[in-house]
Amino acid sequence: GWGVDAIYRHFDLTGKRCPDFMVVDEAARAHGLPSAAQGWDWFRAEVEVRVQCLRRGLPVPWPEPVPVRVRDRQVPGLLWRGRAFVAARALAEAVGGTVHWDAEGRSVGLELP
């Protein structure tokens, strides 16, 4: 019998910026959201949908696995609410590039040909 009011961001408990789009406005805008506050609201709404589906015995919506064509290769992706998501490494390697992790800046970098 719990709901979204029992959900907290990592940031609220530990100070960890995870995920950024719920904490940092710039990261939220990169995800197509006007602000981090709206990113948090979006996440809570997504959880609420799933909670209600589980309570009612309905199928829970989930991203759909889809193939994504990158140049002449096909890489695995996910389709969610009209957006396709592909892992950075799969994308980089499909075009002959590389990916690296910047631990200090906590960011992923792609080097593309």
Side-chain angles (χ1 to χ4, degrees), residues 20-89:
D20 267 0
F21 77 90
M22 289 188 245
V23 180
V24 180
D25 286 339
E26 183 178 316
R29 286 189 289 276
H31 282 82
L33 298 161
S35 69
Q38 288 189 333
W40 177 234
D41 291 344
W42 169 84
F43 177 78
R44 288 170 51 100
E46 290 290 319
V47 170
E48 181 64 25
V49 166
R50 286 163 180 74
V51 167
Q52 292 303 321
C53 286
L54 291 170
R55 284 182 179 158
R56 296 178 179 145
L58 300 172
V60 177
W62 201 253
E64 174 187 355
V66 294
V68 176
R69 180 153 307 282
V70 179
R71 293 189 181 160
D72 62 340
R73 293 187 58 191
Q74 186 170 302
V75 296
L78 295 172
L79 184 62
W80 182 246
R81 300 196 185 259
R83 290 185 178 185
F85 295 86
V86 177
R89 182 170 305 283

